[in-house]
Amino acid sequence: MSWPLSDLAPAGRVPVVLAPMAGVNDVMYRSICVEMGADLTFTEMVSSKALSFANEKTRRLLDTAPNELHVGVQLFGHEPDTMAREAAWVEDSLGEKLVCIDVNMGCPARKIIKKGDGSALLNTPDVAQQIVRQIKSQVSCPVTVKFRKGFAAGEDVACDFAKRMEDAGADWMTVHGRTTAQMYSGDADWDVLGRVKRSVSVPVIGNGDIKRGEDARAMVDATGVDGVMIARGAQGNPWIFPEAAAALAGEPAPAEPTDEERVAMARRHASMLDGYMGNTIVYMRKHVMWYLRGVPGVREARGALNSCVTMDDFNRVLDKILVDAADVRAREAAYRAAPGR
Ligand SMILES: Cc1cc2nc3c(=O)[nH]c(=O)nc-3n(C[C@H](O)[C@H](O)[C@H](O)COP(=O)(O)O)c2cc1C
């Protein structure tokens, strides 16, 4: 099965993609993002080496949700043979749902780059090309790459690297406009996205600093990219997918989620995971703080949230957060309505 990137979104609008995020993109969160309108979701990065040892925990990262009909699997590693063999295994396992095998060439984490994986591949473009060629020879789905602007501070190798990936057979590519040295700091350079787009003839997805729906539109207008990918802007914020789709289609922005909707989404995510994953409540801590961003009183409730052990504790703390938030909102409204304001 081959999915052209442009077929993933309704005609006339570019696809809006959930970025791979290690430790964040569990299967239920991805399912929620699909429900909210993500056109394509990525698994978190999956170690090709661990897959080659049939590691059960690693294999579970490839679980997909029933509504997740378009999923990209991202592999990391540096051994072309291993990566190609495991890519073929992934393709067999996921079947028609698999949109692409993506190769991680952007991870800046020390433990990853010291082995020559992730963004270290920017420094070994021959190996990167070999990985793409060998995976291409073993799978029939598109093979894609995700990389950064450069490795060292100030370095910009993106256009040359993109051409080499295209020569090796990459079907499309995602570019994040930061160097490895920057990690996630500073602003993403969108200019480089436009330059890569003009340098290659395969589709290019732009990534970096899409925090609101309008940013997706601004990125496409500024760079001409064929798709947009959102990472941190989607943490606890699956509402960004309908926002981005509306902005890209030139439609009015949907209403912002209410406090109740934010709490309901956190509860739903937790209850979907309960039974699927051990220690759900501990895992959910970061997600819940993201879902509840902007809800009054949430910072003060952090300690209570972090001490929850059971789903009942979790739901009780959320009930209290909602009651307190409603109280703050009522006082705010009364203040605004007071005579003389
Ligand atoms: C918690 C976290 C985990 C990430 N894990 C991955 C990963 O597994 N694979 C990958 O290619 N990029 C990963 N990234 C990078 C993002 O996919 C994305 O390129 C980067 O955050 C820039 O996009 P943003 O500005 O929309 O966040 C991760 C980023 C974050 C914040």
Side-chain angles (χ1 to χ4, degrees):
M1 184 74 192
S2 187
W3 290 101
L5 179 63
S6 58
D7 281 9
L8 298 174
R13 140 164 115 59
V14 303
V16 182
V17 180
L18 171 68
M21 277 188 282
V24 176
N25 285 19
D26 63 78
V27 60
M28 304 308 175
Y29 168 67
R30 299 199 317 262
S31 176
I32 288 172
C33 291
V34 170
E35 198 177 288
M36 296 297 288
D39 297 305
L40 168 64
T41 46
F42 273 93
T43 62
E44 60 180 271
M45 61 180 190
V46 177
S47 162
S48 53
K49 200 75 183 167
L51 279 183
S52 76
F53 295 132
N55 180 298
E56 212 33 59
K57 207 167 151 211
T58 305
R59 283 186 169 178
R60 284 199 91 195
L61 299 175
L62 300 170
D63 287 353
T64 58
N67 68 340
E68 201 176 24
L69 303 181
H70 304 139
V71 63
V73 169
Q74 190 189 59
L75 296 180
F76 72 94
H78 65 275
E79 295 169 3
D81 286 346
T82 309
M83 294 189 80
R85 205 173 44 246
E86 297 314 316
W89 184 85
V90 169
E91 188 173 49
D92 274 353
S93 309
L94 268 75
E96 298 233 322
K97 284 186 159 193
L98 183 69
V99 167
C100 62
I101 293 282
D102 188 71
V103 182
N104 182 317
M105 302 190 178
C107 181
R110 178 163 287 281
K111 67 174 186 199
I112 300 291
I113 57 179
K114 75 174 189 222
K115 294 193 182 133
D117 304 348
S119 64
L121 289 166
L122 290 167
N123 294 330
T124 53
D126 292 340
V127 178
Q129 281 193 306
Q130 201 50 35
I131 290 171
V132 173
R133 284 200 190 98
Q134 280 189 229
I135 298 179
K136 288 281 296 178
S137 73
Q138 297 298 315
V139 299
S140 57
C141 67
V143 176
T144 61
V145 293
K146 177 169 180 281
F147 59 91
R148 288 182 175 240
K149 173 183 172 181
F151 191 87
E155 189 176 71
D156 182 352
V157 298
C159 290
D160 286 344
F161 194 79
K163 281 189 252 175
R164 293 193 67 160
M165 294 305 104
E166 182 178 31
D167 285 348
D171 292 281
W172 76 70
M173 52 190 75
T174 303
V175 186
H176 174 196
R178 284 189 178 84
T179 61
T180 302
Q182 276 180 289
M183 307 284 283
Y184 298 98
S185 67
D187 292 332
D189 173 5
W190 284 4
D191 189 54
V192 74
L193 309 181
R195 281 186 282 112
V196 169
K197 169 69 193 153
R198 293 189 293 277
S199 305
V200 294
S201 48
V202 294
V204 174
I205 299 181
N207 170 236
D209 292 352
I210 297 180
K211 297 177 191 126
R212 303 189 52 87
E214 307 97 74
D215 298 334
R217 172 80 192 236
M219 180 187 274
V220 172
D221 287 350
T223 65
V225 287
D226 307 281
V228 292
M229 179 183 273
I230 308 175
R232 289 165 298 173
Q235 289 175 337
N237 185 23
W239 296 275
I240 198 167
F241 293 102
E243 255 185 40
L248 287 164
E251 290 162 6
E256 299 260 331
T258 61
D259 298 339
E260 287 78 10
E261 285 168 329
R262 289 179 181 281
V263 169
M265 195 63 93
R267 284 193 212 274
R268 180 134 175 272
H269 188 171
S271 71
M272 286 163 85
L273 281 175
D274 195 31
Y276 170 79
M277 145 190 300
N279 259 339
T280 303
I281 299 302
V282 172
Y283 167 79
M284 275 300 292
R285 282 177 188 164
K286 60 183 179 235
H287 280 283
V288 78
M289 292 311 289
W290 291 328
Y291 281 119
L292 302 191
R293 244 179 328 222
V295 174
V298 123
R299 223 169 298 146
E300 294 74 6
R302 182 192 280 266
L305 277 168
N306 286 350
S307 57
C308 292
V309 178
T310 66
M311 196 61 93
D312 283 348
D313 298 340
F314 181 71
N315 280 319
R316 255 193 308 273
V317 174
L318 289 181
D319 288 342
K320 172 146 184 359
I321 288 175
L322 258 190
V323 170
D324 293 349
D327 190 43
V328 174
R329 297 286 189 211
R331 276 188 278 125
E332 281 171 358
Y335 179 74
R336 275 197 305 273
R341 301 251 3 126

